[in-house]
Amino acid sequence: MDKAALERRLSHVSGFRDPRVEFEQYPTPADLAAHLVHLADVQGDLAGRTVLDLGTGTGMLALGAAFRGPARVVGLDRDSSALEQARENEARIAGSDAPASSAEIDWVLADATRAPLCVSDSAASLAREETTVLMNPPFGAQTGNEHADRAFLATASEIAGVSYSIHNAGSQDFVEAFADDEEGAVTHAFRAELDLPRRFDHQTSERETIDAEVFRIRWE
C-alpha cells in the first residue's frame, strides 16, 4: 500500500464522537498521518518493530502503522470511549478489500505519561532499540495543561529507540533542547497543517487550520 492508498484508507477513520477539551482531543488528519507513517517506513522504523501510538485517540497512527509490517502495534489512551472508537475504526478499515496488515493492534487503556510498559534488564537495550513511538500528543494549549507534550516526549525517551511526534508550531527549540537533555537528537523536522472542524465552544469558526511541526527523534 503506497502513501496515497494509505491516506485513502485512513480517511475512513472516524473522529471523536464527544471530544474532551481537557484532553485536547483533536483528530490527526489522514493526509498527515499517512505522510508520517510513510516517512517512518522509509526510515526503516516500522517493519519488524514494536510500534507504540501514545495517546492514540481513535487510532489513526496505530492503524496506519499496522499496514507497514510491524511485529506489533499498541495503541494506548486514557479515554475508554476513544479506544472503543479505535476498535470500531480497526474493523471499518479492515474490510474485505483491504490488504491484510501484518500485525494486530493491542488497544490499552492507560495514561501515556505513565505508560505501563517495561522490558527486562537483560534485554532492555535491545527491546528499546526495536521500539518506535508515533504520537500526536496534546499541545498544551489549555490553561492548566501547559507543556503537556513534554510528558509524552519523556515517555518516548524512556521506552523507544526512535519517535515521531506532532507539536504546535514554534516548538523546534523546545523539542531539540529536550532531546539533547535526554541524549537524543532530532534527525528530521518539517512543518505541517492540521485542518480541523469545529468541535469545541472556544473555537470561533467552522473549520480551523492549525500550524504544526513534526519531529523524528533518535533516542540513545
Side-chain angles (χ1 to χ4, degrees), residues 187-207:
T187 64
H188 296 69
F190 61 90
R191 295 179 179 177
E193 291 184 344
L194 280 67
D195 184 24
L196 305 175
R198 183 178 185 273
R199 299 304 304 273
F200 299 115
D201 291 340
H202 68 268
Q203 294 176 290
T204 58
S205 58
E206 289 304 311
R207 298 199 71 84

Side-chain angles (χ1 to χ4, degrees), residues 47-136:
R49 297 170 64 90
T50 295
V51 179
L52 305 177
D53 180 1
L54 299 181
T56 188
T58 63
M60 181 70 80
L61 294 174
L63 291 165
F67 287 108
R68 295 303 177 96
R72 182 187 183 195
V73 180
V74 178
L76 186 149
D77 204 281
R78 59 178 172 172
D79 185 348
S80 59
S81 63
L83 288 179
E84 181 181 349
Q85 283 185 257
R87 294 185 182 96
E88 293 174 5
N89 283 328
E90 182 179 19
R92 180 179 297 111
I93 71 170
S96 59
D97 63 332
S101 62
S102 59
E104 294 184 359
I105 303 174
D106 295 315
W107 303 107
V108 177
L109 179 64
D111 186 341
T113 66
R114 297 178 177 84
L117 305 167
C118 63
V119 292
S120 64
D121 291 340
S122 62
S125 61
L126 177 62
R128 187 168 181 264
E129 181 63 24
E130 294 181 349
T131 299
T132 295
V133 161
L134 307 179
M135 59 183 178
N136 182 10

Side-chain angles (χ1 to χ4, degrees), residues 138-182:
F139 289 172
Q142 299 298 314
T143 301
N145 202 34
E146 293 85 354
H147 309 298
D149 52 352
R150 179 188 295 272
F152 280 74
L153 285 175
T155 297
S157 72
E158 295 171 359
I159 64 176
V162 64
S163 68
Y164 293 77
S165 52
I166 304 169
H167 299 262
N168 203 8
S171 296
Q172 185 160 357
D173 288 346
F174 150 66
V175 172
E176 289 180 342
F178 184 94
D180 186 62
D181 288 344
E182 299 298 325

